[in-house]
Each structure stands twice: as C-alpha cells, then as structure tokens.
Amino acid sequence: MRLALFASGTGSNVQAIIQAVEKGDLQAELACLICDQPSAPVIEKARTAGLPVFSLTYKAAGGKAAWEQAVVTYLKDQAVDILVLAGFMRIIGPDLLAAYPQAILNIHPSLLPKFPGKAGIKEAYEAGVSQTGVTIHWVDQEVDTGPIIAQEAITVSPDWTLDQLEAAIHQVEHRLYPATLQTLINDKLSS
Ligand code: GRF
C-alpha cells in the first residue's frame, strides 16, 4: 500500500509514521508528503527522511479547487492508495473526496464527537473533562465527522497543565496512528 502523508505544521505525527515504517512496525510505502505551508517544519522532517515533498499554497495554485486538482494529478502519478492526514489544517474538498472515496484518514486530538475543530485539546482542557483522547476516522465532506476507526482514551489528572495534556495526547497519537494504519492495511490486503 502506498501512503501519502498530508500535514501543515510541526509534523510530529508524520515523524512517528516515518519512524514506524523505518523500524518495520508499519509495512507500507510512503509515497510523499503533501503540504500547503511551504515554511512548515514538517517539510524538513520529510526531506531528511528522503520523502518526496509536494509543497504548494492554495494561493499559488489559484484557489482550493485548483490546489486539489493539482494534488490529485500528483497522487495518481505517484500511484497512491491511501491519504493520511496528520495535522493537515485544511478541509478536504470535493475533488479529493471524489478521487479517493473511502481512502482518506484523519487523526483528531479528542474523543469525537466531543470537541471537533481546531482546538480539541484546549477545549477539552478548559471544559475540565476527566477523560479525553485521540480519534482516527475516515474523512467525509464535514469536519471531524466521518466514521470512527479507532479511539483511545486518556484520563486527565486534575493537576495537569495544558502542556502536559498535549504531551499525553501526542504520545498516544504517535503510537495509535501507525498501529491503526497497519491494521487497515492488513484488512485491505486480506479482503
Ligand atoms: C495533532 O494533534 C493532530 O491530532 C491534529 O493536529 C496535530 C498535529 O500535530 N490533527 P503534528 O503536526 O503531527 O505534531
């Protein structure tokens, strides 16, 4: 299975997936990184790992639809099977959804359907929940609403700072995303 990673920022999840492939824990081919922010730190991480990088802003592409069409052409050329969103801060539009039905995954730092959107960790923290967690789900046309594939809960200690909660979330993400991808790939290969 050939995966394309999509990210816009730090790229700690991209790094975790790259390391899982390098260690043999995730048996997949990483085809490329798709990034919409040319100054994002994730680009350097991908390049260091030898991953081809497709970096283009919406503006330079001439808008969202043109960006997605350029990305679809690139992904088809790279024979990509699965799109893995890992901190990709854009809403996937109709061109990508139509080109890759049932093949786009996202990771979200809360127990969906609770705390969707961009500030899932902070909102859970400020709500004072005793449990939050990580969700991996299929992407549909809405934000953070697609069918859930995997979830892992984290118990929030009352004395944690927001930074400590973020660290705990990322630790789970970095283990759960590669493991879930491997399970999905096993399922696809055996079906
Ligand atoms: C992660 O918390 C992920 O769940 C969310 O965006 C964050 C990306 O972090 N969608 P990183 O860029 O992988 O470090």
Side-chain angles (χ1 to χ4, degrees):
M1 287 284 161
R2 283 176 63 75
L3 314 184
L5 308 178
F6 282 57
S8 306
T10 310
S12 69
N13 280 283
V14 163
Q15 185 85 59
I17 292 167
I18 289 171
Q19 280 168 358
V21 171
E22 285 172 350
K23 282 168 66 184
D25 293 342
L26 172 56
Q27 282 150 21
E29 287 174 50
L30 298 182
C32 55
L33 170 75
I34 306 291
C35 185
D36 63 318
Q37 300 290 339
S39 59
V42 66
I43 291 182
E44 191 53 36
K45 291 185 172 78
R47 289 213 170 108
T48 302
L51 207 59
V53 173
F54 178 101
S55 164
L56 181 68
T57 62
Y58 274 23
K59 196 173 173 199
K64 176 172 176 151
W67 187 91
E68 289 207 347
Q69 283 152 22
V71 168
V72 168
T73 301
Y74 181 80
L75 295 175
K76 296 287 177 190
D77 195 47
Q78 297 271 326
V80 164
D81 302 298
I82 301 174
L83 279 50
V84 179
L85 312 190
F88 184 64
M89 302 310 284
R90 300 284 189 172
I91 297 167
I92 298 296
D95 290 290
L96 269 168
L97 283 168
Y100 289 93
Q102 293 297 315
I104 311 178
L105 297 164
N106 184 41
I107 187 162
H108 183 79
S110 76
L111 293 176
L112 291 173
K114 290 180 191 152
F115 308 110
K118 283 186 180 173
I121 304 176
K122 191 162 181 270
E123 284 176 13
Y125 183 80
E126 286 173 354
V129 295
S130 58
Q131 272 211 329
T132 182
V134 173
T135 302
I136 295 166
H137 64 96
W138 293 112
V139 172
D140 63 14
Q141 63 281 1
E142 308 291 333
V143 178
D144 300 331
T145 55
I148 290 172
I149 303 164
Q151 279 188 316
E152 190 169 316
I154 291 168
T155 300
V156 185
S157 289
D159 60 344
W160 275 359
T161 62
L162 175 58
D163 282 353
Q164 283 174 304
L165 176 58
E166 277 179 6
I169 294 261
H170 291 315
Q171 208 177 356
V172 170
E173 287 184 331
H174 298 164
R175 177 171 41 74
L176 190 63
Y177 217 179
T180 303
L181 285 165
Q182 185 63 62
T183 303
L184 275 175
I185 289 168
N186 292 347
D187 289 353
K188 272 190 189 266
L189 291 178
S190 67
S191 66

